[in-house]
Amino acid sequence: MFDTDFHLLAPHELTATGQALYGPGWRAALAQAFGVAEADIVAVESGRVAAPDGWRALLIALAQDMALRSLEAANNLLWRDVGIDEPAPQPLYAPQPPRFA
């Protein structure tokens, strides 16, 4: 990641981005991705506590990683070279830490 000073993350930005990335269970998923307690996410979301300096950069990295993985999945679906009768392999999926954090 570039050495760039980011603005502090606003509570509404945390909420909107968390929901966009993880859906209804975004608080727990984001807490796990950040390595913090869900209570820390809620405290920032409610505005009781300011977001730590690195959270904006982490969210950017998570969003970029999710976008890349989504594009790779779509590409694989579009360009798959397997016959119709051949069963598709089922890869194991586990959430990965952000590539750019």
Side-chain angles (χ1 to χ4, degrees):
M1 185 126 210
F2 301 106
D3 285 333
T4 304
D5 291 330
F6 291 110
H7 297 285
L8 286 180
L9 186 67
H12 71 277
E13 293 174 314
L14 176 69
T15 302
T17 306
Q19 289 173 347
L21 293 177
Y22 295 107
W26 71 270
R27 289 174 191 87
L30 199 56
Q32 183 177 2
F34 281 6
V36 301
E38 190 172 343
D40 295 331
I41 300 292
V42 172
V44 172
E45 177 191 15
S46 67
R48 291 190 324 254
V49 176
D53 289 337
W55 279 23
R56 180 178 292 274
L58 284 171
L59 274 178
I60 291 168
L62 284 169
Q64 289 175 330
D65 186 62
M66 180 107 31
L68 177 63
R69 288 188 289 136
S70 295
L71 288 171
E72 287 173 351
N75 189 50
N76 289 339
L77 289 169
L78 287 168
W79 299 104
R80 191 148 189 279
D81 290 327
V82 175
I84 293 174
D85 296 331
E86 188 176 329
Q90 297 297 316
L92 296 175
Y93 173 77
Q96 301 295 316
R99 296 181 186 177
F100 308 105

